[in-house]
Amino acid sequence: MISKRIIPCLDVRDGRVVKGVNFQGLNDVASPVDLAEFYTKAGADELVFYDITASSDGRKIFTDILRETASKVFIPLTVGGGIGSVEDFDRVLKCGADKVSVNSGAIKNPGIIKEAAKLYGDQCIVLSVDIKRVDGKFTVFARGGRDNTGIEAVSWIKRCVADGAGEVVVNSIDTDGVKNGFDLEMLDAVCNAVNVPVIASGGAGCAKDFVELFNKVPTVSAGLAASIFHFGELSISDLKKVMKENGIPVRI
C-alpha cells in the first residue's frame, strides 16, 4: 500500500514565512530557509513553498530566497506563486523546484497547464485550488483567496487534470487555520472526480485530524499543514507514530 505523505507548507511573504486564519491576519513565523532545513531533517515527505502575494502583487516569484531555500531541501519541493507562463515554470524549476504549482495563473490562462505538461511532464504540474462554499457550491477563488471567480471547483479540477495536471492541492478557505479538521466533504468530492493524487490542505489541528482524514477519505494521498508544525504544536515524527498506530501506511 502506498504511504500517505505529510507535507509542511511554507507560505512566504516578503521573504518570510507567515500564517493566518481563513487566508487573513497573516503573522510572521520564521525564515523559509531555516524552516526548510528543519523540516527536511524532521521527516517531512515533501515540502511546499508558496510566494503568497506574487499573484496579488502582479509580480514574479522571488528567486533569490527560493534558490537559498531549495539548497537546504533534500525531499521533493513544490513551488508556487505568480506562475503565469511556461517561462515561469522554467525559471522556478531552474531555481531547484521539483514540481510547480499553478493557481491564479491557470484561471487567467487555462492553456498553461496543457502547454507546461507537454514540456515538463504531468508529474511536474500541480494544480492548487483555493475553494470556498458560496451559496452551498464549491467555488474557486483567485489571487490568494481574494477574488471569487464564480467557477464551480470540481468541474474546474476535472478540466485541469484532463489538460495534464498530475496532482491537485485542495485548499479549503473555510477551514484554513481554524484547526477543527480537514474539509472531508470537499476532499471526498474531488477524490471521486479525478484519478491523480489529491493533497488535503486547510484545517489540521492535531494528529487525530490526519487519522480522520486518511480513514474517512482513503483515496487522499497527502495531508498538508502549516500552523501546527510551525508553532511546535505537533512534530512530524509524533504524527507519523500516531498514524502508524492507527494502521495508516506512512514512511517513518
Side-chain angles (χ1 to χ4, degrees):
M1 192 176 290
I2 298 174
S3 295
K4 301 299 185 182
R5 292 172 288 154
I6 300 301
I7 307 174
C9 178
L10 309 181
D11 290 328
V12 180
R13 181 184 66 179
D14 299 329
R16 297 285 295 177
V17 176
V18 296
K19 192 69 189 86
V21 176
N22 302 130
F23 285 31
Q24 302 291 320
L26 302 177
N27 296 308
D28 184 84
V29 177
S31 155
V33 179
D34 293 342
L35 271 186
E37 186 171 21
F38 170 77
Y39 286 132
T40 298
K41 294 176 180 176
D45 296 298
E46 297 190 15
L47 196 63
V48 169
F49 177 113
Y50 288 140
D51 186 337
I52 60 170
T53 55
S55 291
S56 60
D57 292 349
R59 60 170 172 77
K60 306 295 185 184
I61 198 167
F62 289 125
T63 53
D64 290 347
I65 193 73
L66 172 55
R67 277 198 189 92
E68 194 176 352
T69 302
S71 71
K72 303 293 185 181
V73 176
F74 303 101
I75 52 178
L77 174 65
T78 298
V79 176
I83 305 298
S85 67
V86 171
E87 289 73 27
D88 292 332
F89 276 82
D90 186 65
R91 191 162 43 86
V92 168
L93 290 168
K94 285 177 178 174
C95 286
D98 298 290
K99 295 182 275 190
V100 182
S101 174
V102 61
N103 187 332
S104 297
I107 295 168
K108 289 180 185 175
N109 174 22
I112 191 176
I113 290 178
K114 189 174 290 186
E115 194 177 352
K118 283 181 181 177
L119 285 171
Y120 304 111
D122 293 9
Q123 81 290 338
C124 183
I125 315 302
V126 179
L127 174 70
S128 180
V129 192
D130 298 333
I131 308 172
K132 186 175 184 178
R133 288 171 178 77
V134 177
D135 297 327
K137 185 178 77 169
F138 295 137
T139 304
V140 177
F141 278 66
R143 296 177 66 245
R146 294 168 178 81
D147 298 344
N148 181 351
T149 67
I151 299 170
E152 196 282 317
V154 176
S155 59
W156 167 247
I157 291 169
K158 287 174 70 174
R159 172 184 172 178
C160 293
V161 168
D163 283 346
E167 194 166 68
V168 178
V169 178
V170 177
N171 306 303
S172 171
I173 297 175
D174 295 321
T175 61
D176 175 70
V178 178
K179 300 182 183 178
N180 283 334
F182 291 95
D183 196 324
L184 303 180
E185 180 191 15
M186 182 184 294
L187 291 161
D188 189 56
V190 174
C191 286
N192 286 330
V194 297
N195 59 357
V196 298
V198 173
I199 298 172
S201 172
C206 60
K208 179 178 68 68
D209 292 333
F210 286 89
V211 172
E212 182 179 51
L213 167 69
F214 294 124
N215 281 336
K216 293 193 174 180
V217 193
T219 47
V220 162
S221 295
L224 182 150
S227 299
I228 58 167
F229 297 142
H230 294 345
F231 300 120
E233 297 166 35
L234 178 65
S235 73
I236 292 172
S237 59
D238 285 346
L239 169 58
K240 288 188 170 185
K241 285 176 187 173
V242 172
M243 289 169 60
K244 188 175 182 180
E245 289 167 0
N246 282 271
I248 298 166
V250 63
R251 182 180 67 85
I252 300 293

